[in-house]
Amino acid sequence: MRSPSFLPSSFLFTTLYLSVLRVASLAPKGEWTFVQNGTTGITALEVVLVSPTLILMFDRVLGDPLQIDGHQAWVELWNLETNTGFPLNAITDTFCASGALLSNGTMVSVGGQASELPPGVTVPPDADGRMGIRIFEPCADPAGLNCTLFEDPATLHLAANRWYTSAIRIFDGSLMIIGGTHEETPFYNTDPENSFEFFPPKDNGQTRFSPFLARTVPTNLFPRGFALPDGKVFIVANNQSIIYDVEAQTETILPTIPNGVHVTNPMDGTATLLPLSPPDFIPEVLVCGGSNSSDATPSEELSSQDPASDQCTRITLTPEGIKKGWIIERMPEGRMMPEMILLPNGQVLITNGAGTGYAAISSVSDPIGNSNADHPVLTPVFYDPEASLGSRFNREGLPTTNIPRLYHSGITMTPSGAIFLAGSNPNGGVVENATFNTEFRVQFLNPPSLSRSRPSVSRVPEEIAFNEPFTVDIDIPNDLNTGDLKVALMDLGFSTHAFHSSSRLVFMEAQLSGNQKSLTIRPPPNNRVYPPGPAYIFVTVDDVTSTGTRVMVGNGASPPVQDQGVPLVS
């Protein structure tokens, strides 16, 4: 096999074209384990990794034990090195908000709810968060003690009220903010914000009306959106989906989700953009779980015992794939409010959620305490995108937890490869001694690679340019088969309400040197394949994955940034 032109022909390399390396089963070798380690001071209903050692979590003001400046805190920074958290000051209420990272590495939290009064409090410590914008700039302190959250609601705010909104990073490094709000009822979206806006603002700060959002009420809260490798955006809400052209401001209607399955809040399924592989980076979307119930049914006629859907649907976003439509698959069980985590080997981990019922609280005919959902699903499952249809799900090596993760749970992969799980609070405040309590216990779902010798990389540049190869040192244990090697570039996403916004995995072409001591990697071709901003590089050899190394992809400039790299060849 001939070496690609970006490497000198005088060197001997084992060429590894990662786009075509596939194995019959990607089930990781060995056992995964759940480990409880630490307790949060708030309910971690929104979770985002903001540095290699720090996780930022958000909740609301309604009884959490964590305190700051004489009142309850609703933002917490978690130190992965000590497994302890401490409060950050916030001004506006962050309950049921969203967020993502910008091209310069800044985390932006958007939306939230109007302020609440905790028991015994006459003046709320939190301001109205529905138009809230909160800024967490990159913080070099690994312990987080000098990190802060910035807000100025008088001068820095959204153009519209957005509760239950979604935010994703797009091709120019800015955020697209999608839909939101439900003001009048505790369940359906009866006061929708059927528009998009951007941060930093586009269109002179005006919103863009969306016919798609208007026709997907009342079950279109937390729409699931993904930036596609051509710069357009895929969005699914209720049981409908579109491709939105940010630049042309047009919506292209896609086939409806089959069998009447609704997949967004309050009938939460989950969704992910499947891994993108060179040279074509063809996008596919997977949507799983949700409910077959009609969203014309009043919530008080729904039941916590209504079965969740076991349906997964998958679509390839090419003209041929769209014409073919959604391909139906079945999970081992139904799930309401599941989460999907992309794994560095290309698999998807599906975890959390309930076997029956709905999202939200105290709004169906027979809530379990306050929970609209029942029968927690306690065992995760793998989805292998490369396996044949009908054999993509397996549970090889996966454990069962004893902690339900239902409504208001948060989750993220960490640079070690461990999965951080926290939260769950299907209640109107802090509740103990119920069937489903307010949950403060932190767990990690640890992969087998944490307990064995694993590949390691060093001399990784802090910043990588699109389409410009770079070389790292690599140390590979002798017992691993170097013929099976993958390099993943990952955005670990922002977790809120059964959705990991901006989560992304792009496989990169790589070549291992003849002495197997260095690895030359070609980044994605441009800022549309991978929206510019922070990422983690993971190297997987023989299904054993390295620790992730943080890099900045692109020039690290503040958004909006110009196109970088080279266009995809159509």
Side-chain angles (χ1 to χ4, degrees):
M1 185 178 292
R2 191 173 56 183
S3 296
S5 60
F6 66 86
L7 288 170
S9 59
S10 57
F11 285 82
L12 176 64
F13 288 92
T14 302
T15 303
L16 302 164
Y17 284 107
L18 304 177
S19 59
V20 298
L21 271 179
R22 304 299 179 197
V23 291
S25 173
L26 291 177
K29 299 171 183 176
E31 298 293 320
W32 291 63
T33 55
F34 277 110
V35 177
Q36 185 185 331
N37 195 339
T39 56
T40 60
I42 67 171
T43 302
L45 66 91
E46 297 151 38
V47 169
V48 57
L49 185 80
V50 291
S51 83
T53 58
L54 298 172
I55 290 174
L56 191 58
M57 302 177 288
F58 299 91
D59 191 21
R60 59 178 166 180
V61 184
L62 209 60
D64 286 341
L66 192 65
Q67 299 288 306
I68 189 169
D69 295 342
H71 62 77
Q72 184 209 311
W74 59 96
V75 181
E76 183 173 1
L77 196 58
W78 186 265
N79 184 335
L80 286 167
E81 294 182 329
T82 63
N83 282 317
T84 57
F86 56 89
L88 291 184
N89 240 325
I91 297 174
T92 59
D93 194 300
T94 60
F95 186 53
C96 300
S98 187
L101 298 167
L102 298 175
S103 56
N104 61 6
T106 295
M107 193 289 307
V108 181
S109 162
V110 295
Q113 71 165 4
S115 60
E116 288 190 283
L117 282 175
V121 176
T122 57
V123 179
D126 55 327
D128 189 333
R130 290 173 294 178
M131 297 176 72
I133 296 176
R134 306 155 203 100
I135 304 293
F136 184 93
E137 293 185 334
C139 182
D141 179 1
L145 299 177
N146 297 311
C147 303
T148 59
L149 191 70
F150 172 79
E151 285 192 80
D152 185 2
T155 61
L156 185 65
H157 56 79
L158 297 172
N161 286 338
R162 296 191 188 274
W163 193 25
Y164 289 76
T165 189
S166 291
I168 61 169
R169 185 169 77 254
I170 60 174
F171 65 91
D172 66 359
S174 64
L175 300 193
M176 179 178 174
I177 304 161
I178 307 169
T181 81
H182 79 119
E183 299 290 342
E184 302 300 323
T185 72
F187 194 73
Y188 290 122
N189 191 6
T190 56
D191 187 18
E193 179 52 54
N194 296 323
S195 71
F196 310 136
E197 63 177 285
F198 300 85
F199 182 81
K202 303 183 190 299
D203 312 314
N204 295 315
Q206 302 301 304
T207 63
R208 297 183 183 180
F209 173 71
S210 169
F212 165 73
L213 290 174
R215 68 175 177 266
T216 53
V217 292
T219 315
N220 68 350
L221 298 165
F222 290 109
R224 280 57 165 141
F226 303 100
L228 300 178
D230 62 359
K232 298 174 185 176
V233 173
F234 169 90
I235 310 173
V236 60
N238 200 320
N239 63 351
Q240 300 179 45
S241 59
I242 61 167
I243 292 176
Y244 180 69
D245 189 322
V246 175
E247 294 160 297
Q249 300 188 34
T250 57
E251 297 183 355
T252 300
I253 297 173
L254 299 178
T256 299
I257 300 286
N259 300 319
V261 176
H262 307 277
V263 298
T264 47
N265 189 280
M267 298 182 177
D268 277 318
T270 191
T272 194
L273 179 69
L274 290 173
L276 299 169
S277 295
D280 298 321
F281 303 99
I282 295 172
E284 295 183 87
V285 170
L286 178 69
V287 181
C288 292
S291 176
N292 295 84
S293 297
S294 169
D295 62 2
T297 303
S299 66
E300 57 269 20
E301 296 179 16
L302 300 172
S303 170
S304 62
Q305 305 307 303
D306 292 340
S309 175
D310 64 353
Q311 177 175 287
C312 286
T313 50
R314 177 169 165 176
I315 191 168
T316 302
L317 297 175
T318 61
E320 298 79 13
I322 292 168
K323 184 177 180 180
K324 188 175 182 180
W326 294 92
I327 305 301
I328 298 173
E329 307 179 66
R330 298 288 174 184
M331 293 184 289
E333 64 279 302
R335 287 186 191 247
M336 172 64 54
M337 303 173 289
E339 268 269 20
M340 286 184 186
I341 298 291
L342 295 171
L343 300 178
N345 68 353
Q347 274 200 306
V348 181
L349 180 79
I350 305 174
T351 189
N352 293 2
T356 64
Y358 304 91
I361 62 170
S362 302
S363 45
V364 298
S365 62
D366 56 348
I368 307 302
N370 297 304
S371 176
N372 285 347
D374 196 9
H375 304 101
V377 183
L378 301 175
T379 307
V381 63
F382 292 121
Y383 177 87
D384 179 353
E386 298 303 322
S388 59
L389 185 66
S391 59
R392 292 173 177 160
F393 295 97
N394 76 82
R395 284 200 162 106
E396 182 180 344
L398 284 171
T400 298
T401 181
N402 63 350
I403 300 179
R405 302 288 182 184
L406 302 176
Y407 200 45
H408 297 149
S409 299
I411 183 171
T412 186
M413 195 171 79
T414 66
S416 72
I419 312 297
F420 172 94
L421 302 100
S424 187
N425 190 20
N427 300 290
V430 175
V431 172
E432 299 177 352
N433 302 315
T435 303
F436 303 120
N437 294 330
T438 305
E439 186 58 68
F440 297 108
R441 289 173 291 179
V442 170
Q443 286 176 299
F444 291 88
L445 178 55
N446 290 336
S449 57
L450 261 65
S451 58
R452 60 158 297 160
S453 296
R454 57 200 299 198
S456 62
V457 293
S458 57
R459 289 200 315 117
V460 180
E462 294 183 359
E463 184 176 293
I464 61 175
F466 291 102
N467 205 49
E468 295 186 9
F470 61 96
T471 299
V472 302
D473 292 342
I474 187 166
D475 183 22
I476 301 174
N478 292 331
D479 61 337
L480 298 183
N481 173 19
T482 57
D484 178 13
L485 186 151
K486 304 176 181 71
V487 182
L489 185 73
M490 299 187 67
D491 185 328
L492 302 184
F494 185 111
S495 169
T496 181
H497 291 74
F499 176 48
H500 237 75
S501 64
S502 296
S503 174
R504 196 177 200 83
L505 191 162
V506 178
F507 282 121
M508 300 187 290
E509 293 179 354
Q511 288 188 323
L512 188 63
S513 64
N515 63 8
Q516 301 190 352
K517 296 297 184 182
S518 66
L519 188 68
T520 299
I521 302 167
R522 181 184 286 277
N526 59 56
N527 55 294
R528 296 176 182 242
V529 173
Y530 188 94
Y536 288 83
I537 294 175
F538 293 87
V539 178
T540 301
V541 181
D542 199 15
D543 215 35
V544 179
T545 300
S546 71
T547 297
T549 302
R550 188 182 187 275
V551 296
M552 179 63 73
V553 186
N555 58 21
S558 298
V561 301
Q562 298 298 312
D563 279 341
Q564 303 167 46
V566 298
L568 286 176
V569 178
S570 58

